[in-house]
Amino acid sequence: MNLFKFSVEETLFFNISGIAVFIAFWLYAVSWMNTKLDFFRKSGSLCLFVSLISLTVALVFRGMALNFFPLTNLYESLVIFAWAIIAAYLFLEYRFKINYFGWFVSGFLLIVFLYATWLPPGQKQIAPLVPALQSYWRVIHVPPLLMSYALFLIGAFSSVAYLVEVKRSRKDKNKSVSINKEITSGVIIKTSSREVSEKAQFFDEVTFRCVTFGFPLLTIGVINGALWANHAWGALWQWDPKETMALVTWFIYAIYLHFRLNSKASGTVLALISLIGLAMVYLTYLGVNQFNFGGLHTYGKIE
Amino acid sequence: MLKHLKSIKNFFVQEFSSLRLAITLFVFLAISTLIGTILPEEPMVGRAKLLEKYGEQNYLLLKGLGFTDVFHSWWYLALLTMLGANLITASVRRVFPKWYLAFSLPVDLRAESIPRLPVNCNIEVNGNGSALLGKIEKKLKEKKFKTVLSENKLKAVKGAWHRIGASVTHVGILALLFGCAISVLTGFNGMAQLSENEGFYLADLGGRTDQIRSTEVDNWVVPISKMPIWFGRISPYLVRVNKTWREEYDNGAPKQWYSDLSVLDENKTEIARKTIFVNNPLEFMGLDVYQSNWGKFAETTFNDQKISLPVETINGKDVIFLPLSKDIGLKFKVLQDLIEVYSMSPNLEKEKLLGKINKGDMLQMGPINIGYYGTVTFTGLQFKSNPGYFLIYPGLFFIILGVFIAFGSKKQIWGQLIPENNKIIIGGKSDRAKAYFAREFEEIISEVVNSK
């Protein structure tokens, strides 16, 4: 059996990925302390990109060993979660220039990697699938959810940054700021915002972006889960703890989006909602099994 | 009096369509769903476990308050109903009327309103003002804005179609809620356990929950459990199991269970046939049949009493365990046409062979005689009628579609040439991504200004 051979290669690429994240962490940290060192930040991003590629390769090897998409236990789910975080972060950094969070994101990734490595062997080994999990639905139910969790995580980092920024610039009680920017002589662009500073407005918007990306994915994941449950168990919804926790998370981010419709909504409250949302994501993803709420989604449980 | 009623009605419509109510309900639903997740629920863990956990007095108190089954408690249903009412009134009053905004141009703004926009600027005109305004229009068109330029006034809009996202999502949620209500109130479901070459009819057997033999050979009548509002239509089909089998992994763990099913009409003609397995049900004329479990049983007798014992597969071998106390018991190895009986006890290093029983034979062991009559396989089928489906599936589709459409922002720009001061005032706003829009606006203006 060549299962063992694949495992070695998988481990190799998994380790490359972890080391790349570790290097990225320090590069980002240095560039964070001195914003002039843009080269370090760029190298950090490059390292994260390398990590993403080698993690993809590791997943391909594992998928080949399993003969199907490697998403069958907590270890594989964590690896794909890490993949989603890196992919989401790199995309957001490229698209919206969120350079501030590289440090937090790669630091968090290290925790995910370590957690995945320290899992008991029962949760890591390549094991056959029980009948209920053998379905193409598995592939369209779980990845959108992991991607949404990754986005909510980055959104929460941004919320923390927002709260810090607001706290720091509390000195001026006047809440709205207007920024005047001269682009050429005589042409001044006036931007007014209700946030305390340009940075705060930026952080607020990064969170919002993450939630607007993540919410549709969460919705799709939950709905696909319901459709799958209908195919496998004959019921769309069974009030299983994982289902209800996902519903709580959905409610929290629905609150976020509806609260934002209100033009007088305070950014601080929005940031706090996003943090509560992340706590719910944690409970949904890991807490349900860790705190033994029971139910049908016990596949990722540590015995 | 009539006026009074009208004002009460207006008050309710006003309150029920408010965004504040929606947020409040979301908060309460989130909290109560969380409580329901953390507390053990009676339908999941059973009454006995809750009694053990809380003690009888506390159990009754919690049950009275609905905490033993949060998701079916009156207050949780009330919250969901309120959310439904809020969703309907808000959709009709606020969300759907905004539909036209998705396709309309921005409203006219007076010159003095433009400097009050979140992003705005003044451009000094050194030459032909209208030409510059035209240039801005051209740039906006390049950036895929829809523009109107008339008499020194410029209006532009982009991404307005994102506004229909909310309408689409709300339509989806409404369809889903109605579909679920129809299914929950008017459907039926149930279970059947059959072996090969057996079939079942559905019947309303009142309070009975066990399946009974029908008058025909090898067919069963299976009771359905009805939902509260019952329209009383049971399909007259006979569902037959032609064959049922299982696939195993090398270590003997179940890989998949299969049942080859036929649906027969009253004249016993086959109208549908499908091999179902877990995750792949038979869906036929409003009736869904699912593979839910599978089992092999040995037909045995103990002192002439018939007993079916479940056969387990361990390391690829079929065995039956019959524990007599905590650690002592009997083990049967099921072989071709015979079973071997072993004793199990922790003191014995090896299990001890007590005897063999051929199929159709008996074994006398002291006061007990054990008979063996071969094995049968049962397939566990679940069935369900789901009348709300015609709404549930489109509802789910619209929710997904809606949240995707809503992703994005509506950006509007207004510009005006003021010939007296020889300047152009221009400004804009975006409903969602505000900082991003400010940057985009800056880019457009600097590109125009720097190219002149």
Side-chain angles (χ1 to χ4, degrees), chain B residues 11-68:
Chain B
F11 172 77
F12 271 106
V13 169
Q14 196 84 37
E15 283 303 306
F16 264 101
S17 67
S18 76
L19 188 63
R20 200 185 322 150
L21 179 67
I23 292 172
T24 315
L25 286 172
F26 277 142
V27 171
F28 275 107
L29 275 168
I31 293 171
S32 44
T33 311
L34 190 61
I35 292 171
T37 311
I38 292 167
L39 291 180
E41 299 293 283
E42 195 164 321
M44 287 270 171
V45 300
R47 188 158 175 263
K49 204 153 185 185
L50 291 185
L51 273 171
E52 188 188 323
K53 190 179 155 112
Y54 297 127
E56 193 167 352
Q57 203 122 51
N58 289 341
Y59 168 77
L60 287 176
L61 179 70
L62 287 171
K63 195 180 172 74
L65 295 171
F67 282 109
T68 54

Side-chain angles (χ1 to χ4, degrees), chain A residues 216-231:
Chain A
L217 290 170
L218 178 68
T219 311
I220 288 171
V222 170
I223 287 176
N224 282 343
L227 293 176
W228 183 12
N230 189 40
H231 256 239

Side-chain angles (χ1 to χ4, degrees), chain B residues 373-390:
Chain B
Y373 301 95
T375 56
V376 280
T377 48
F378 281 110
T379 178
L381 301 176
Q382 225 174 356
F383 58 84
K384 180 184 70 168
S385 98
N386 217 328
Y389 262 32
F390 71 102

Side-chain angles (χ1 to χ4, degrees), chain B residues 359-425:
Chain B
K359 193 171 161 184
D361 237 357
M362 285 206 222
L363 176 71
Q364 193 72 37
M365 281 169 41
I368 318 168
N369 70 71
I370 307 174
Y372 171 59
Y373 301 95
T375 56
V376 280
T377 48
F378 281 110
T379 178
L381 301 176
Q382 225 174 356
F383 58 84
K384 180 184 70 168
S385 98
N386 217 328
Y389 262 32
F390 71 102
L391 283 174
I392 290 175
Y393 279 128
L396 294 174
F397 173 74
F398 276 114
I399 293 172
I400 292 178
L401 187 69
V403 282
F404 261 111
I405 294 174
F407 176 78
S409 4
K410 179 184 184 179
K411 299 157 185 172
Q412 290 168 290
I413 290 174
W414 290 268
Q416 192 165 347
L417 172 69
I418 303 178
E420 305 90 71
N421 305 348
N422 224 11
K423 66 173 185 182
I424 291 174
I425 50 172

Side-chain angles (χ1 to χ4, degrees), chain A residues 7-137:
Chain A
S7 293
V8 169
E9 275 146 6
E10 183 207 322
T11 315
L12 172 72
F13 282 102
F14 182 73
N15 288 341
I16 292 175
S17 181
I19 291 163
V21 168
F22 184 71
I23 298 169
F25 172 74
W26 286 106
L27 289 171
Y28 277 124
V30 170
S31 78
W32 192 71
M33 283 182 263
N34 186 346
T35 44
K36 280 181 203 130
L37 298 171
D38 204 40
F39 170 74
F40 280 81
R41 185 190 61 73
K42 279 187 180 145
S43 324
S45 304
L46 186 70
C47 279
L48 272 194
F49 188 70
V50 168
S51 171
L52 184 72
I53 300 292
S54 56
L55 203 54
T56 313
V57 174
L59 282 168
V60 167
F61 273 116
R62 198 178 178 91
M64 279 159 72
L66 276 164
N67 259 330
F68 41 66
F69 195 72
L71 192 53
T72 54
N73 55 25
L74 184 57
Y75 172 78
E76 286 162 9
S77 145
L78 281 170
V79 172
I80 289 183
F81 180 50
W83 189 94
I85 295 172
I86 305 176
Y89 172 75
L90 286 177
F91 172 72
L92 289 168
E93 190 191 76
Y94 166 74
R95 187 86 166 72
F96 302 114
K97 313 274 175 290
I98 56 160
N99 313 333
Y100 300 93
F101 309 116
W103 194 55
F104 304 111
V105 169
S106 42
F108 185 86
L109 276 168
L110 283 179
I111 298 173
V112 176
F113 272 95
L114 286 178
Y115 184 49
T117 316
W118 282 334
L119 280 177
Q123 268 303 331
K124 273 161 69 170
Q125 70 201 12
I126 292 171
L129 278 177
V130 296
L133 283 181
Q134 288 169 38
S135 170
Y136 57 91
W137 282 106

Side-chain angles (χ1 to χ4, degrees), chain A residues 95 128-129 132 134-135 181 184 188 190-192 205 209 213 220 227-228 230-234 239 244 255, chain B residues 26 33 37 44 71 118-121 249 255 279 290 382 384 389 393 404 407 433-436 442 449-450:
Chain A
R95 187 86 166 72
L129 278 177
Q134 288 169 38
S135 170
K181 200 167 179 183
T184 37
I188 297 164
K190 283 172 266 177
T191 319
S192 63
E205 203 159 303
R209 285 274 157 176
F213 272 115
I220 288 171
L227 293 176
W228 183 12
N230 189 40
H231 256 239
W233 300 319
W239 300 108
T244 53
I255 293 170
Chain B
F26 277 142
T33 311
T37 311
M44 287 270 171
F71 304 117
V119 190
N120 63 77
C121 80
Y249 287 112
K255 187 176 179 189
N279 280 322
Y290 302 83
Q382 225 174 356
K384 180 184 70 168
Y389 262 32
Y393 279 128
F404 261 111
F407 176 78
K434 297 191 166 82
Y436 189 71
E442 193 186 306
V449 174
N450 291 332

